[in-house]
């Protein structure tokens, strides 16, 4: 199919190349997950790995900053291959979050030392990502199978790099890995559907929409494992701070100075589920339009995705409109299948809202009542906000409601 890979500018519908995942470095088996991430960097980078592998202990004993300050300034020239760059970024982003938030939100570090800032910014530029921990580090490049031949399920998975939070942190990351895995058939179905519209194949389109609906339901089921593996109090009081950024965060109002990179502080949003490409892709494909405020935030989160995943979303944007196609087809089976996809997506968002209420809002009020006195005092600055900096409940309600507004009504 090499002759199918054409420049997007030259497209019109008659010559538009069919959509493929390979063009966007999306795996047929793993979707947006990085297939089989590396666990070790070349020996030159052992000073980074030694710190990263002991991160939870170093943070809990308040020794991480001292260790980082002793770290040699390493050049990135010995990194070869995409997966080495991704692991270097994973390691440096985790060390950065630990360094900034080691002492909690009351004493964040406002300057990232050059021996950490310079390589982190270099690796980030190389990968087209901002220099802060994002979903593609925390989740997409941070998983390994215990038994390589075994199934992708929690008991056969491990994280590569960790923060404090023990089993709850492991559960939080790995359940999200399983959510990404559950989305793979849906992403493939989306590609099948776009191509079915280009080929005017209603049977293939119907099949694709049915597969998409099943995948969205499987994502919701995968997300439900959070209840089994993540303790809300530990998530709220221990884990959340390390996902927090320095944009829209009262704890670091000016941002963070990256020493040797910029004299002015730089501001970046913290980790957010909105940095996962999955729901963006489904929204674009199904034609879900969000309110201006939500859409602005979601659009900004695309800058926190790997560039090839961003390009995939842009490709769906310029593909023929599914909604228009279904409305003009007059095919009631397609209309029903489309609406079932939209309803499943709204149900997923309702479920996500319930999770966030449990892990953020309820946990916050419990922490206020000091019923969790064995845990550190949780961060106040982001009390009702997600780690990405949004007023999270109103945001999630809005995106869910706008999803439902997308339902099509049969004409006549």
């Amino acid at each position: 199919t090499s002759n199918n890979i054409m420049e997007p500018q030259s497209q019109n519908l008659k010559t538009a190349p069919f959509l493929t995942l390979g063009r966007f470095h999306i795996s047929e088996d793993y979707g947006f997950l990085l297939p089989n991430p590396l666990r070790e960097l070349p020996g030159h980078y052992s000073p980074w790995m030694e710190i990263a592998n002991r991160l939870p202990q170093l943070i809990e004993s308040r020794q991480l900053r001292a260790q980082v300050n002793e770290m040699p300034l390493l050049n990135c020239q010995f990194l070869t291959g995409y997966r080495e760059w991704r692991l270097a970024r994973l390691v440096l982003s985790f060390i950065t979050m630990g360094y900034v938030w080691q002492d909690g939100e009351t004493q964040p570090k406002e300057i990232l030392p050059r021996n950490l800032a310079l390589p982190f910014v270099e690796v980030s530029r190389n990968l087209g990502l901002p220099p802060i921990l994002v979903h593609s580090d925390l989740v997409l490049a941070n998983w390994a199978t215990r038994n390589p031949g075994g199934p992708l399920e929690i008991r056969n998975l491990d994280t590569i790099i960790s923060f404090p939070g023990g089993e709850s942190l492991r559960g939080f990351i790995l359940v999200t890995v399983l959510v990404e895995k559950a989305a793979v058939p849906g992403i493939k179905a989306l590609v099948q559907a776009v191509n079915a519209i280009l080929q005017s194949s209603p049977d293939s389109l119907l099949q694709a929409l049915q597969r998409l609906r099943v995948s969205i339901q499987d994502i919701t089921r995968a997300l439900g494992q959070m209840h089994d593996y993540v303790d809300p109090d530990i998530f709220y009081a221990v884990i959340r701070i390390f996902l927090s950024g320095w944009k829209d965060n009262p704890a670091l109002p000016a941002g963070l100075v990256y020493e040797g990179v910029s004299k002015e502080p730089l501001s970046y949003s913290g980790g957010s589920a909105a940095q996962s490409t999955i729901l963006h892709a489904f929204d674009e494909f199904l034609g879900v339009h969000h309110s201006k405020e939500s859409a602005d935030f979601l659009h900004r989160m695309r800058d926190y995705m790997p560039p090839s995943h961003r390009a995939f979303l842009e490709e769906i944007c310029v593909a023929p409109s599914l909604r228009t196609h279904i409305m003009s087809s007059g095919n009631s089976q397609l209309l029903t299948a489309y609406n079932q996809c939209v309803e499943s997506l709204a149900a997923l968002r309702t479920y996500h809202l319930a999770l966030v209420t449990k892990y953020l809002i309820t946990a916050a009020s419990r922490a206020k009542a000091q019923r969790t006195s064995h845990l550190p005092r949780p961060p106040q600055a982001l009390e009702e906000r997600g780690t990405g900096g949004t007023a999270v409940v109103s945001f999630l309600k809005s995106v869910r409601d706008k999803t439902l507004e997308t339902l099509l009504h049969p004409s006549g």
Side-chain angles (χ1 to χ4, degrees), residues 80-374:
T80 53
Y82 183 67
R83 291 191 306 157
E84 271 185 19
W85 284 92
R86 285 287 292 270
L87 177 56
R89 219 195 100 92
L90 172 64
V91 163
L92 294 170
S93 64
F94 264 69
I95 295 173
T96 294
M97 299 316 256
Y99 187 90
V100 172
W101 300 117
Q102 171 186 288
D103 294 343
E105 63 160 7
T106 50
Q107 296 165 296
K109 269 285 185 224
E110 295 174 12
I111 299 176
L112 203 62
R114 62 191 305 122
N115 56 350
L116 179 52
L118 287 170
F120 188 26
V121 166
E122 187 181 343
V123 169
S124 301
R125 279 183 186 147
N126 181 288
L127 292 169
L129 288 163
I132 188 169
L133 175 74
V134 299
H135 177 80
S136 72
D137 311 299
L138 179 74
V139 176
L140 302 183
N142 192 22
W143 63 280
T145 46
R146 292 177 173 182
N147 162 17
L152 240 66
E153 47 191 54
I154 286 258
R155 57 167 190 254
N156 189 39
L157 286 173
D158 257 326
T159 56
I160 297 170
I161 310 292
S162 283
F163 288 124
E167 284 299 302
S168 286
L169 177 85
R170 181 177 167 270
F172 178 69
I173 293 172
L174 295 179
V175 168
T176 314
V177 167
L178 294 178
V179 165
E180 291 279 346
K181 181 74 170 79
V184 176
I187 298 156
K188 287 179 168 167
L190 187 157
V191 167
Q192 179 187 338
V194 168
N195 293 335
I197 296 172
L198 291 170
Q199 290 165 303
S200 320
S201 170
D203 293 345
S204 177
L205 179 55
L206 181 63
Q207 184 191 52
L209 290 173
Q210 289 163 341
R211 286 179 179 165
L212 176 57
R213 184 199 78 225
V214 171
S215 174
I216 295 172
Q217 291 165 340
D218 288 342
I219 291 170
T220 309
R221 258 194 295 282
L223 193 56
Q225 295 182 72
M226 284 289 176
H227 295 293
D228 305 325
Y229 294 102
V230 186
D231 178 315
D233 298 326
I234 292 177
F235 176 77
Y236 186 76
V238 179
I239 296 170
R240 207 168 53 106
I241 183 96
F242 298 108
L243 311 179
S244 303
W246 26 95
K247 179 182 171 67
D248 304 328
N249 186 347
L252 270 175
L256 181 71
V257 172
Y258 291 71
E259 195 179 61
V261 176
S262 159
K263 295 233 178 348
E264 296 302 312
L266 305 173
S267 292
Y268 298 104
S269 296
S272 166
Q275 294 168 355
S276 166
T277 311
I278 301 168
L279 293 187
H280 291 255
F282 295 167
D283 277 348
E284 287 294 351
F285 172 63
L286 295 169
V288 177
H289 293 294
H290 294 294
S291 71
K292 180 166 175 7
E293 193 184 357
S294 301
D296 287 349
F297 171 72
L298 286 167
H299 244 90
R300 208 175 73 226
M301 288 299 103
R302 293 187 183 183
D303 297 337
Y304 293 73
M305 296 175 189
S308 59
H309 299 175
R310 273 203 302 274
F312 177 66
L313 294 176
E314 280 152 23
E315 193 78 1
I316 301 169
C317 284
V318 300
S321 159
L322 172 70
R323 282 172 64 81
T324 307
H325 179 80
I326 288 177
M327 288 191 289
S328 60
S329 75
N331 181 324
S332 62
Q333 272 185 302
L334 286 178
L335 183 122
T336 301
Y338 170 84
N339 280 346
Q340 287 172 337
C341 288
V342 172
E343 282 163 356
S344 301
L345 185 57
L348 167 57
R349 287 186 150 134
T350 299
Y351 192 80
H352 186 205
L353 186 61
L355 268 182
V356 166
T357 304
K358 171 177 169 176
Y359 283 90
L360 207 61
I361 310 305
T362 316
S365 54
R366 249 208 318 278
K368 265 211 187 86
Q370 283 301 311
R371 270 173 279 173
T372 50
S373 52
H374 61 291

Side-chain angles (χ1 to χ4, degrees), residues 1-8 10-11 15-18 20 22-23:
T1 58
S2 59
N3 58 345
N4 275 346
I5 298 173
M6 301 168 74
E7 287 304 306
S10 65
Q11 282 180 24
T15 62
F18 292 125
T20 64
R23 262 170 54 209

